[in-house]
Amino acid sequence: MGERNPRFDRFFDRDTPWKAEKKRLREIVLDHPLTEELKWRQPVYCHAGGNVATIDGLKDRCVLSFFKGALLTDPEGMLEPPGPNSRSARYAPFTSLEEIDARADALHAYLDEAIENEKRGLSPEMPPDDLDLPEELAAALDADPALAEAWAALTPGRRRGWVIHVSGAKQAKTRTARVEKAAPRIRDGKGFHDR
C-alpha cells in the first residue's frame, strides 16, 4: 500500500543495532499510504508532502517517531516525547520484535490517525515560546542588523533550537562562542539541527 523506495533496502539491511526491529516497523509503516523519502539522511514517511513518521535505532531502543505525535489520542499510552524540549514529536519505543508485534494493531491505528491529521492539515497548537534569549545572543542580534533580520525570518522551531543550544552552555564565553559559530548558519536560514 505504501510507496517503498528500493534505495532504502540497503539502509535497513545494514548490520546495525535494532536491525530486525527497524525492518519490522518499516513493514508496518508501509502498510499505509505513505511514501518513503530521504530527509535528514534517513527514511521519512510522508503523506501528500507532509512528514508523518520516521524510524530510528537509538542506543537502548528502537523507535517509531511521529512528527505531529502531540495530536495523536494515544489510547495505549505508549507515546513519549523524545526529549524535555520536545513540543510536537512523540515516539513509540521498542526493545524487541515481540513487543512490536504485540503492539502492531495500536501502531496501525496511530498511523491511520496521523495520516488523517495530515490530510486535514492539522498542526499541534504551540503555546507562545517561553524561552528567553540568552544575553549573548540578544547582544549579537542588537549589534548586527543583518543577523537580527535573519533571526526574525527563522521559523519558531529553528529559533527555539538555537536558544536551547546557546543557553545550554554554562559559561558566558562558551555561549558567546556558540553564537559566533551559529551566526553564519542563522544568516543562511538554518536551524541548529539543519545540515
Side-chain angles (χ1 to χ4, degrees):
M1 186 186 247
E3 192 176 314
R4 181 186 202 101
N5 187 329
R7 290 188 312 168
F8 294 120
D9 291 343
R10 286 184 304 181
F11 177 88
F12 284 99
D13 285 335
R14 291 185 304 182
D15 192 23
T16 60
W18 310 108
K19 175 182 172 179
E21 290 81 3
K22 290 190 290 188
K23 287 177 90 166
R24 178 66 181 118
L25 287 172
R26 183 187 192 203
E27 291 170 16
I28 291 169
V29 170
L30 289 175
D31 277 344
H32 298 269
L34 296 166
T35 58
E36 201 170 38
E37 300 179 18
L38 178 66
K39 296 184 180 186
W40 305 288
R41 296 189 298 178
Q42 66 181 24
V44 173
Y45 299 90
C46 303
H47 183 79
N51 300 333
V52 173
T54 189
I55 298 167
D56 203 3
L58 307 176
K59 186 186 297 185
D60 60 343
R61 63 198 174 281
C62 177
V63 298
L64 175 59
S65 298
F66 295 91
F67 287 90
K68 297 177 184 176
L71 289 174
L72 299 177
T73 53
D74 194 19
E76 301 291 322
M78 62 195 245
L79 297 178
E80 303 173 6
N85 296 308
S86 299
R87 300 179 81 182
S88 178
R90 297 292 183 271
Y91 66 57
F94 300 99
T95 57
S96 70
L97 282 173
E98 295 76 22
E99 190 178 5
I100 293 170
D101 290 338
R103 294 184 159 189
D105 289 342
L107 291 177
H108 285 292
Y110 290 146
L111 286 160
D112 288 339
E113 184 180 0
I115 292 166
E116 185 57 33
N117 289 341
E118 201 59 43
K119 284 180 185 175
R120 294 174 54 204
L122 299 180
S123 290
E125 267 190 47
M126 299 292 178
D129 215 333
D130 56 351
L131 297 175
D132 294 324
L133 287 181
E135 186 178 310
E136 297 77 8
L137 179 56
L141 296 174
D142 288 342
D144 185 342
L147 183 62
E149 185 177 333
W151 176 261
L154 291 176
T155 64
R158 286 187 171 105
R159 287 194 302 263
R160 183 175 177 81
W162 284 119
V163 168
I164 291 168
H165 172 65
V166 172
S167 298
K170 293 180 182 172
Q171 297 183 5
K173 68 179 181 181
T174 307
R175 289 190 297 273
T176 299
R178 287 184 179 184
V179 170
E180 289 170 0
K181 189 172 180 180
R185 296 185 62 212
I186 292 169
R187 285 189 189 95
D188 289 341
K190 303 226 183 246
F192 175 67
H193 297 287
D194 293 334
R195 299 235 184 266

